[in-house]
Amino acid sequence: EATYGTGAFVDRGPIPPVATEETTYTVSLAVSAGRNNLSGGVVTTSLPPYVRWLDQTDGAGSVDYNSVSQQLRWVAGDVPAGETRVLSFQVAVTPSLTQVGERLIIMNRQNLRINDDFTGTQLQDSAPALTAELSTEAGFTEGNSTVRAPGATND
């Protein structure tokens, strides 16, 4: 989930995003366990080239980030039955002029690998790329992840 101004960090910049201008977002990843204890949870993902890792994290587990490949690895670890592990981190996004009119993607597909301690099996799951679309329940207008041209009005 992407948030702006409501997470663990202070975010800044235009919403909707504006080409050539920087906006920061707080991104949160979560791993939840159902009825069984889970162990050894690892989430892997990567950031698009126009997204900058700010090395600000808050939450469970440990994070490894490779600034060359822009690969992120979150070791969420063990998740007891009925609980959730969350990691939040901050990124800075500077969309290009070629992205005007497009929905801004701030994190590529996320892949989870974790063990189910009751069944003894390894589980895998994935989530699609995350856009910068912020919740309308938080007061943002629909379509707030669409990149605007510099000088465009918010009609």
Side-chain angles (χ1 to χ4, degrees):
E1 163 181 52
T3 59
Y4 181 93
T6 60
F9 309 106
V10 175
D11 295 305
R12 64 190 183 292
I15 299 293
V18 175
T20 72
E21 294 185 31
E22 184 176 87
T23 300
T24 61
Y25 294 89
T26 299
V27 176
S28 296
L29 298 173
V31 176
S32 297
R35 293 178 174 223
N36 298 343
N37 292 328
L38 303 176
S39 62
V42 176
V43 175
T44 55
T45 188
S46 62
L47 302 178
Y50 50 86
V51 177
R52 188 167 50 94
W53 173 257
L54 295 180
D55 201 21
Q56 299 285 331
T57 63
D58 181 51
S62 63
V63 178
D64 295 316
Y65 181 74
N66 182 316
S67 60
V68 174
S69 66
Q70 294 199 247
Q71 299 285 318
L72 178 125
R73 182 174 183 264
W74 172 37
V75 179
D78 300 344
V79 185
E83 293 189 20
T84 300
R85 292 286 180 259
V86 177
L87 171 73
S88 296
F89 56 91
Q90 191 177 42
V91 296
V93 183
T94 307
S96 70
L97 290 170
T98 60
Q99 291 174 289
V100 170
E102 295 179 6
R103 290 184 74 192
L104 188 63
I105 292 174
I106 57 174
M107 184 171 55
N108 295 318
R109 174 176 291 280
Q110 306 105 64
N111 299 297
L112 167 67
R113 192 181 69 244
I114 199 162
N115 299 309
D116 183 315
D117 293 348
F118 180 74
T119 64
T121 58
Q122 185 177 78
L123 307 174
Q124 295 184 57
D125 199 6
S126 64
L130 178 68
T131 70
E133 190 72 17
L134 301 168
S135 171
T136 56
E137 292 177 8
F140 295 97
T141 58
E142 193 169 329
N144 61 65
S145 66
T146 302
V147 179
R148 297 173 112 18
T153 60
N154 274 344
D155 308 346

